[in-house]
């Protein structure tokens, strides 16, 4: 069994990041409820360290999340971060109060005394703060080891117990030495650093088998990274007990439906059902121009088709989804505050009465990619550029027709081909073509033409939240433009979108 470090969840948006940092340091870690009791921890000898996360509340408020004080007497190292440190002080005889002002962002702190977490680091350190409250009085037998101009107690330790507190967030990348501090904490716990993706796979396979037993599982496969990795993992665990339903809306890129189907049929044991629902989607979308209306129709039609397929199967008890941790946290956990709802979470109708299996819901996107490679999924699939659920429907401005879908598919294929030749596909985050609703005059073979304007969109981005248009050499743009106007019938003019996000979005709809 792996040693582990548990993170008590006090609701910080960063709490899963702490878990992830522990894993990066080679120690298995999980987020557990702050209501866990000392005696429960004692029963699990694999727990070598405890981290109390940050959180949005104030420790002195009524109803704020507290801790079983006996945890501090277990002789297991405890690291309190932000709210976690304040809670430690509050519980052990100190005092926390509202600060004169809130402190968010980068701050320089000064190390005043040796602290196991700052050993070997500079005396002045840049850290990331995010708090409104401050510790006014230390808990009994605690001493201060670092301070800043606005916060008196920035780092503290107990004189004779393995209890440590830090007011800032070592887990975020804005604290440059944060990983070294967390690494030092792992050393203090003496936890074995034996965790890696192979362990994750073994453990998930066990979990899935134990949960599913001999029942059947369905999974809606889109061919995107998340659902493909989830399918590969379940395939390894339960093989033929898994049925993947691939709803082909007719809104995928050129040949993509065939590629997804043949890839999954060739490489896996799972049952694969491809539903050709193109005609139904086209019918429902006929004459619809409003982008949100398109999204709604596509979402509802997907559920309808999926539901129909599931009804044809017998003995299905489970629905598997490739939900990521970030999907969950954005939709609000029990402790974290809700930021926005997410389309993957809670999408299917209740009457389906299926239990959910979400094997990726503790992972971040880049961890899912590592997992995909570990499961031998092909590189091109694991590193696919993002593709929106509503597909090409939101890349056709105005109403959707079969011919417009053809134009976007053919032009997109040319764009991808050229980007691949020029190796731009390795550096540009997302790229595609958009069919506008504008037609313009041109000349083709001595004849007057009146054809569509097609836009090229290519952006660099880290996470899609912000983006800059990509800098593409003119010669390449020229090649793309002449190929598209020559090879794709219906396109008379090609333009390049030079808008960043914000103020634009990446997609046009
Ligand atoms: P925007 O256009 O909002 O896009 O700047 C940011 C990222 O999200 C993708 N996107 C979607 N993905 N359903 C999805 O699954 C959607 O309705 C949707 N709209 C945008 C977009 O491709 C980009 O990567």
């Amino acid at each position: 069994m792996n040693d582990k470090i548990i993170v008590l969840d006090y609701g910080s948006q960063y709490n899963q990041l702490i878990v992830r940092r522990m894993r990066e340091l080679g120690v298995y870690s999980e987020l557990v409820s702050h209501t866990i009791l000392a005696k429960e921890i004692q029963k699990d000898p694999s727990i070598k360290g405890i981290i109390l996360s940050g959180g949005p509340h104030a420790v002195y408020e009524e109803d704020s999340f507290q801790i079983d004080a006996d945890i501090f007497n277990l002789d297991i190292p405890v690291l309190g971060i932000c709210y976690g440190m304040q809670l430690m002080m509050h519980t052990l005889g100190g005092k926390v109060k509202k600060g004169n002002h809130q402190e968010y962002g980068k701050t320089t702190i000064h190390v005043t005394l040796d602290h196991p977490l700052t050993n070997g680091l500079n005396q002045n350190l840049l850290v990331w703060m995010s708090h409104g409250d401050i510790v006014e009085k230390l808990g009994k037998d605690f001493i201060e080891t670092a301070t800043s101009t606005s916060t008196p107690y920035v780092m503290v330790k107990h004189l004779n117990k393995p209890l440590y507190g830090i007011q800032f967030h070592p887990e975020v990348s804005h604290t440059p030495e944060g990983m070294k501090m967390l690494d030092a904490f792992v050393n203090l716990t003496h936890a074995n650093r034996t965790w890696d993706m192979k362990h994750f796979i073994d453990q998930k396979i066990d979990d899935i088998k134990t949960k599913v037993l001999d029942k059947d599982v369905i999974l809606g496969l889109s061919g995107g990274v998340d659902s493909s990795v989830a399918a590969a993992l379940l395939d390894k665990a339960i093989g033929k007990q898994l049925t993947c339903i691939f709803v082909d809306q007719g809104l995928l890129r050129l040949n993509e439906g065939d590629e997804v189907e043949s890839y999954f049929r060739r490489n896996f044991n799972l049952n694969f059902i491809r539903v050709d629902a193109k005609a139904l989607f086209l019918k429902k979308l006929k004459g619809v121009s409003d982008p949100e209306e398109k999204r709604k129709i596509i979402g509802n039609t997907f559920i309808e088709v999926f539901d129909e397929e599931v009804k044809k199967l017998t003995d299905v008890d489970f629905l598997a989804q490739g939900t990521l941790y970030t999907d969950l946290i954005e939709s609000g956990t029990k402790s974290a505050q809700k930021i926005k709802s997410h389309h993957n979470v809670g999408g299917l109708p209740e009457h389906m009465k299926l239990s959910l299996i979400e094997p990726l819901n503790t992972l971040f996107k880049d961890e899912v990619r590592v997992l995909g490679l570990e499961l031998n999924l092909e590189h091109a699939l694991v590193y696919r550029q993002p593709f929106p659920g509503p597909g090409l429907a939101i890349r056709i401005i105005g109403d959707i027709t079969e011919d417009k879908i053809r134009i976007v598919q053919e032009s997109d294929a040319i764009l991808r081909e050229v980007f691949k030749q020029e190796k731009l596909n390795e550096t540009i985050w997302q790229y595609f073509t958009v069919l506008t609703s504008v037609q313009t005059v041109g000349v083709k073979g001595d004849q007057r033409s009146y054809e569509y304007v097609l836009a090229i969109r290519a952006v660099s981005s880290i996470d899609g939240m912000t983006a800059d248009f990509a800098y593409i050499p003119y010669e390449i743009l020229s090649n793309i433009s002449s190929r598209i106007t020559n090879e794709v019938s219906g396109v008379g003019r090609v333009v390049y979108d030079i808008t960043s996000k914000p103020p634009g979005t990446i997609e046009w709809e």
Side-chain angles (χ1 to χ4, degrees):
M1 189 194 284
N2 286 303
D3 284 349
K4 70 180 166 199
I5 292 178
I6 54 171
V7 178
L8 269 54
D9 179 6
Y10 287 97
S12 160
Q13 296 296 331
Y14 301 134
N15 56 17
Q16 190 73 15
L17 195 55
I18 307 173
V19 170
R20 177 186 163 159
R21 296 292 183 232
M22 291 297 111
R23 292 183 202 161
E24 284 171 10
L25 291 165
V27 183
Y28 180 67
S29 178
E30 58 190 39
L31 196 64
V32 301
S33 165
H34 60 272
T35 55
I36 191 168
L37 298 173
K39 59 183 182 208
E40 294 173 84
I41 295 175
Q42 240 170 345
K43 272 192 220 146
D44 183 349
S46 68
I47 299 177
K48 304 291 184 201
I50 300 165
I51 296 179
L52 316 180
S53 84
H57 302 287
V59 292
Y60 46 79
E61 274 170 7
E62 232 180 280
D63 301 336
S64 63
F65 299 146
Q66 298 295 318
I67 186 166
D68 175 2
D70 287 339
I71 289 177
F72 296 121
N73 294 321
L74 291 174
D75 203 28
I76 296 175
V78 181
L79 172 65
I81 294 176
C82 196
Y83 181 95
M85 160 171 152
Q86 294 169 3
L87 183 65
M88 194 186 276
M89 298 302 104
H90 178 74
T91 312
L92 298 176
K95 200 161 182 339
V96 176
K97 66 165 189 179
K98 198 160 193 57
N100 290 336
H101 59 268
Q102 302 195 323
E103 192 178 22
Y104 293 108
K106 284 186 180 160
T107 304
T108 301
I109 63 162
H110 315 286
V111 176
T112 51
L113 261 186
D114 273 356
H115 189 291
L117 304 190
T118 48
N119 263 347
L121 302 183
N122 284 341
Q123 219 153 8
N124 292 333
L125 295 167
L126 201 61
V127 303
W128 183 262
M129 291 283 194
S130 174
H131 65 111
D133 290 341
I134 56 169
V135 174
E136 186 184 21
K137 180 180 153 230
L138 290 181
K140 188 168 176 307
D141 293 334
F142 277 89
I143 53 168
E144 168 217 284
T145 74
T147 183
S148 81
T149 41
S150 51
T151 309
Y153 302 117
V154 166
M155 294 184 85
V156 301
K157 68 176 179 184
H158 194 277
L159 283 173
N160 40 48
K161 290 183 186 169
L163 306 178
Y164 311 91
I166 46 188
Q167 181 56 67
F168 54 88
H169 288 272
E171 68 276 23
V172 302
S173 56
H174 309 294
T175 301
E177 306 283 18
M179 272 307 258
K180 288 190 187 149
M181 297 180 197
L182 293 173
D183 187 63
F185 179 70
V186 173
N187 283 340
L188 289 171
T189 68
H190 300 293
N192 286 332
R193 301 184 187 229
T194 50
W195 192 86
D196 59 16
M197 221 20 118
K198 284 197 185 70
H199 280 94
F200 179 86
I201 294 175
D202 292 344
Q203 191 203 336
K204 280 293 160 190
I205 288 178
D206 276 355
D207 292 352
I208 292 166
K209 282 183 170 161
T210 314
K211 190 165 178 184
V212 170
L213 300 172
D214 59 350
K215 298 288 192 308
D216 287 342
V217 180
I218 46 158
L219 179 142
L221 188 82
S222 68
V225 182
D226 308 342
S227 62
S228 298
V229 173
L233 184 59
L234 281 145
D235 180 79
K236 214 170 157 92
I238 55 169
K240 280 266 177 254
Q241 282 167 262
L242 172 67
T243 298
C244 289
I245 301 177
F246 172 51
V247 176
D248 184 354
Q249 309 159 328
L251 297 165
L252 292 170
R253 289 171 284 205
L254 194 67
N255 301 330
E256 198 163 46
D258 295 344
E259 285 164 14
V260 170
E261 179 173 3
S262 84
Y263 183 72
F264 276 88
R265 284 198 194 282
R266 257 188 297 121
N267 294 294
F268 298 93
N269 290 322
L270 47 80
N271 303 300
F272 188 95
I273 298 176
R274 177 174 179 179
V275 190
D276 181 359
K278 186 175 167 190
L280 178 67
F281 276 86
L282 261 182
K283 192 171 130 211
K284 297 237 179 184
L285 286 165
K286 193 162 184 222
V288 177
S289 296
D290 179 70
E292 286 312 302
E293 187 67 10
K294 287 181 189 172
R295 280 193 170 79
K296 216 185 300 164
I297 291 172
I298 291 168
N300 291 340
T301 312
F302 173 85
I303 290 169
E304 196 183 303
V305 174
F306 193 81
D307 197 15
E308 278 305 309
E309 273 324 294
V310 177
K311 276 190 204 142
K312 293 181 198 160
L313 303 170
T314 48
D315 284 340
V316 175
D317 281 30
F318 295 95
L319 169 73
Q321 287 188 327
T323 318
L324 304 190
Y325 176 70
T326 32
D327 303 335
L328 286 179
I329 199 82
E330 284 174 359
S331 302
T333 63
K334 260 188 237 138
S335 314
Q337 288 182 339
K338 185 167 173 151
I339 297 176
K340 63 174 186 182
S341 328
H342 197 275
H343 63 97
N344 277 345
V345 182
L348 287 175
E350 280 222 352
H351 72 258
M352 290 182 86
K353 299 228 179 325
L354 298 167
S355 308
L356 267 188
I357 297 185
E358 297 180 310
L360 313 182
N361 67 5
T362 55
L363 300 183
F364 288 78
K365 189 81 170 190
D366 54 338
E367 291 182 308
V368 169
R369 294 207 159 104
V370 174
L371 173 61
L373 293 180
E374 195 66 51
L375 290 164
N376 292 325
L377 283 177
E378 64 178 2
H379 191 275
L381 195 160
V382 169
Y383 283 92
R384 251 175 78 139
Q385 56 168 321
F387 187 70
L392 302 183
I394 56 167
R395 294 178 181 171
I396 294 169
I397 311 303
D399 69 324
I400 294 162
T401 64
E402 215 162 335
D403 196 47
K404 289 182 184 174
I405 295 174
R406 173 196 59 80
I407 293 178
V408 182
Q409 283 180 331
E410 290 177 2
S411 57
D412 176 76
I414 291 172
L415 179 74
R416 283 191 289 145
E417 193 185 314
V418 175
F419 268 35
K420 199 166 171 198
Q421 277 161 6
E422 303 289 346
K423 297 200 173 1
L424 288 176
N425 60 331
E426 292 169 13
T427 50
I428 296 183
W429 197 73
Q430 195 175 12
Y431 44 94
F432 49 89
T433 58
V434 178
L435 180 61
T436 74
S437 52
V438 176
Q439 287 175 288
T440 61
V441 173
V443 270
K444 275 192 174 171
D446 291 339
Q447 299 252 321
R448 179 185 187 276
S449 64
Y450 192 61
E451 295 178 312
Y452 283 110
V453 177
L454 183 105
I456 308 289
R457 184 67 164 146
V459 295
S460 51
S461 176
I462 304 281
D463 51 13
M465 304 297 279
T466 58
D468 196 5
F469 71 86
Y471 291 56
I472 301 172
Y474 284 152
E475 306 78 64
I476 300 177
L477 282 174
S478 161
N479 180 18
I480 293 166
S481 164
S482 66
R483 279 202 54 191
I484 291 177
T485 45
N486 282 322
E487 295 173 37
V488 183
S489 100
V491 177
R493 202 174 283 261
V494 174
V495 296
Y496 186 51
D497 179 355
I498 52 167
T499 319
S500 295
K501 173 183 179 176
T505 49
I506 296 175
E507 303 286 348
W508 277 35
E509 287 200 331

